[in-house]
DNA sequence: CCCTGATTCGC
DNA sequence: GCGAATCAGG
C-alpha cells in the first residue's frame, strides 16, 4: 500500500478528528499504526493541539504589602497534604428563612452539573431478576459486581465487560469493566445472566 | 496487559 | 519517504 492522495486525505481527516493511529490504520487497511504515526509526523501534523494554550499559569501574586518586603523566603514546604474535602451530600441546603434570604444567584444560566437525563419510563439497566436466575448465580453476580472496575462509557473496550450497573439517572452508574469473555460483551458472571438457553428460560413463570 | 503517540534508523 | 522496532507513558 502506498500513500495515495486519497489515503492521505483520509489520514488527515481522521487524525484531525482525534482518531487514534491504530483506528486510522484499521480504517485504511494495509498499514500499521506505526506507519500511520510515521506519516503523521512526516506530514507535520503531529501537533493535534489546537487548544488555545492552557493559560501560562496565573502565578498567584501575593498582595504587595505597603512596607517594602525584604525577601521571599521559600520554605522547603513539607508538602502539606491538601485538605480533602468530604464529599458533600447532593441535597442543596434549603434556605432556613426564604423571606430574609438574599438572592444569591442571579437569574442567569447556572452551570449546575447536569445529570444525565433519562426519560420517564426508561427501563433500568438489565438486572438479573430473582425469578429468572438461580439464587446462587445471583449471589455470584452481586459478589462480582463489588469488584467491578466501574468504567465509564468511554473507557469500555472490546474486551471489557459492558454490563451496566446502577441507575443511569444517578451518579451511581458505571459499567462492570471486568475482562469480558472472548468475543462476548460481558464478563463470565454477566454472560451467565445475559445469555440463557431457551430451555432454561422457558416456563420459569413466577 | 491493554492501549496511546514519539523517535530512531535501516531500507 | 517509509515503517518496524523501540521507547515512554497511561
Amino acid at each position: 500500500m502506498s500513500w495515495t492522495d486519497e489515503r492521505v486525505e483520509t489520514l488527515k481527516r481522521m487524525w484531525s478528528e482525534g482518531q487514534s493511529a491504530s483506528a486510522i490504520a484499521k480504517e485504511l487497511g494495509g498499514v500499521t499504526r506505526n506507519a500511520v504515526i510515521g506519516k503523521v509526523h512526516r506530514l507535520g501534523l503531529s501537533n493535534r493541539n489546537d487548544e488555545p494554550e492552557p493559560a501560562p499559569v496565573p502565578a498567584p501574586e501575593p498582595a504587595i504589602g505597603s512596607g517594602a518586603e525584604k525577601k521571599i523566603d521559600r520554605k522547603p514546604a513539607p508538602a502539606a497534604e491538601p485538605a480533602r474535602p468530604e464529599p458533600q451530600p447532593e441535597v442543596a441546603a434549603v434556605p432556613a428563612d426564604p423571606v430574609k434570604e438574599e438572592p444569591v444567584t442571579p437569574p442567569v444560566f447556572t452551570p449546575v452539573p447536569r445529570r444525565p437525563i433519562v426519560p420517564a419510563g426508561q427501563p433500568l439497566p438489565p438486572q438479573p431478576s430473582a425469578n429468572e436466575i438461580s439464587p446462587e448465580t445471583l449471589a455470584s453476580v452481586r459478589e462480582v459486581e463489588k469488584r467491578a472496575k466501574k468504567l465509564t462509557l468511554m473507557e469500555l473496550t472490546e474486551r471489557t465487560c459492558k454490563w451496566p450497573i446502577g441507575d443511569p439517572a444517578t451518579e451511581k452508574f458505571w459499567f462492570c469493566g471486568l475482562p469480558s469473555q472472548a468475543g462476548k460483551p460481558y464478563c463470565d458472571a454477566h454472560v451467565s445472566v445475559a445469555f440463557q438457553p431457551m430451555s432454561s428460560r422457558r416456563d420459569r413463570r413466577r
Side-chain angles (χ1 to χ4, degrees):
Chain A
M1 283 294 165
S2 60
W3 288 107
T4 63
D5 286 1
E6 190 178 339
R7 287 166 66 80
V8 170
E9 193 179 327
T10 300
L11 165 59
K12 285 180 177 175
R13 176 177 53 78
M14 293 185 71
W15 185 260
S16 65
E17 286 172 0
Q19 303 267 15
S20 71
S22 59
I24 298 171
K26 190 177 173 187
E27 172 71 25
L28 290 172
V31 286
T32 65
R33 72 180 196 92
N34 284 308
V36 169
I37 292 173
K39 188 61 179 175
V40 161
H41 278 248
R42 267 173 262 122
L43 288 172
L45 33 69
S46 174
N47 291 308
R48 272 201 279 202
N49 313 320
D50 20 63
E51 294 305 313
E53 196 66 16
V57 183
E61 258 335 290
I64 307 296
S66 51
E69 252 61 272
K70 293 297 195 298
K71 58 193 169 207
I72 312 169
D73 41 286
R74 281 273 108 97
K75 280 199 219 166
E81 280 298 315
R84 176 183 286 265
E86 282 300 314
Q88 289 302 120
E90 309 228 311
V91 184
V94 175
D97 188 352
V99 180
K100 267 194 93 176
E101 199 66 24
E102 289 289 329
V104 177
T105 309
V108 296
F109 166 72
T110 48
V112 171
R114 294 274 9 179
R115 56 186 43 191
I117 297 174
V118 176
Q122 167 89 26
L124 287 176
Q127 297 302 321
S129 53
N131 65 336
E132 289 200 9
I133 286 80
S134 72
E136 308 83 67
T137 305
L138 195 55
S140 165
V141 169
R142 290 276 120 82
E143 202 54 43
V144 165
E145 289 184 3
K146 287 178 186 172
R147 297 181 317 160
K149 298 200 69 180
K150 301 187 179 183
L151 298 186
T152 67
L153 180 60
M154 293 307 293
E155 291 169 331
L156 293 176
T157 75
E158 204 162 356
R159 41 181 69 77
T160 58
C161 178
K162 297 162 193 65
W163 190 272
I165 298 174
D167 185 339
T170 73
E171 300 302 317
K172 294 194 178 77
F173 179 73
W174 50 76
F175 293 90
C176 174
L178 291 171
S180 61
Q181 256 182 34
K184 294 286 202 314
Y186 307 124
C187 66
D188 296 328
H190 288 130
V191 160
S192 69
V193 296
F195 301 109
Q196 295 182 52
M198 286 302 292
S199 57
S200 64
R201 277 185 69 85
R202 182 180 314 165
D203 252 6
R204 203 196 309 253
R205 45 173 156 23
R206 250 119 324 227

